[in-house]
Amino acid sequence: MTTPTALAIDEARTRLHELIIIDVRTPGEYAGGHLPGALNIPLDQIQRALPDIRHAADRGDILVVCASGARSENAGRILAEHGVTAATLSGGTGAWAADGHELHRPQGAARATWGMERQVRLTAGVLVLLGLLLGHVVHPAFQLLSAGIAGGLVFSALTNTCGMAAVLAQLPHNRPRAADLDKTPAALRNR
């Protein structure tokens, strides 16, 4: 098993032309802006694309990116478990953009979907408020919903995972279209 490494923004920028960049965010997040030349393979599709990623890794270095670095670290571990060496981008596309570098958007892309972190914050906030409101108006037991969300957020922070994000990733606006899933592996094979 190989250990994933992290590239700093400046190092990634200077090597951009030679890297095979895989963006593991949802298609909606990818459409909102991605590194130049990045291909979109959502984290939950990495296993499916593994043969094509392995083939691409034989021809060049792989850089895995996401919004902040957490999902790309998970993808890097999955790839490492299957013998594929990949680096991650320190700080993800958020740090890339904050450093003043351009993000590309697909031509003809529909309105960008909120980032997954923002979707999680909205959903968690709505559920906490709903639990408190129902606990006050209907029955105090509904406050357990708020407590459950709070516990889930603590667990998420401690384990650097997010069950709510996994659920939200299944919503139609966060799912790749079948045609997009077929295009990306083909693009990897042609690199």
Side-chain angles (χ1 to χ4, degrees):
M1 183 169 96
T2 58
T3 305
T5 59
L7 293 182
I9 300 294
D10 289 337
E11 184 179 0
R13 187 181 47 76
T14 59
R15 295 187 58 206
L16 205 59
H17 64 284
E18 67 187 54
L19 295 169
I20 299 166
I21 306 163
I22 299 174
D23 190 319
V24 296
R25 297 175 300 157
T26 67
E29 291 175 295
Y30 174 82
H34 55 270
L35 269 68
L39 299 170
N40 186 220
I41 302 175
L43 180 58
D44 64 349
Q45 298 293 319
I46 287 290
Q47 295 278 0
R48 178 180 179 218
L50 195 55
D52 296 309
I53 295 171
R54 186 177 286 119
H55 181 72
D58 289 341
R59 294 187 318 282
D61 292 336
I62 303 284
L63 177 66
V64 184
V65 300
C66 67
S68 66
R71 284 178 279 180
S72 60
E73 285 179 19
N74 289 338
R77 279 193 290 278
I78 292 169
L79 293 173
E81 289 169 2
H82 290 90
V84 177
T85 302
T88 61
L89 180 64
S90 294
T93 56
W96 178 270
D99 207 36
H101 303 297
E102 183 180 0
L103 293 176
H104 289 196
R105 286 165 181 75
Q107 280 190 298
R111 185 175 61 89
T113 301
W114 283 1
M116 187 55 66
E117 183 181 335
R118 188 174 181 190
Q119 292 180 50
V120 167
R121 288 192 318 257
L122 174 71
T123 304
V126 166
L127 290 173
V128 166
L129 288 174
L130 182 64
L132 292 173
L133 177 67
L134 291 174
H136 181 71
V137 175
V138 179
H139 190 276
F142 279 105
Q143 292 177 354
L144 292 174
L145 174 63
S146 300
I149 296 299
L153 291 171
V154 169
F155 179 79
S156 175
L158 293 174
T159 62
N160 200 25
T161 61
C162 187
M164 189 177 291
V167 171
L168 291 173
Q170 301 306 313
L171 293 174
H173 65 275
N174 286 327
R175 300 296 310 149
R177 293 179 300 209
D180 294 338
L181 285 177
D182 293 337
K183 274 193 247 176
T184 301
L188 278 173
R189 285 189 294 271
N190 293 328
R191 289 219 172 174

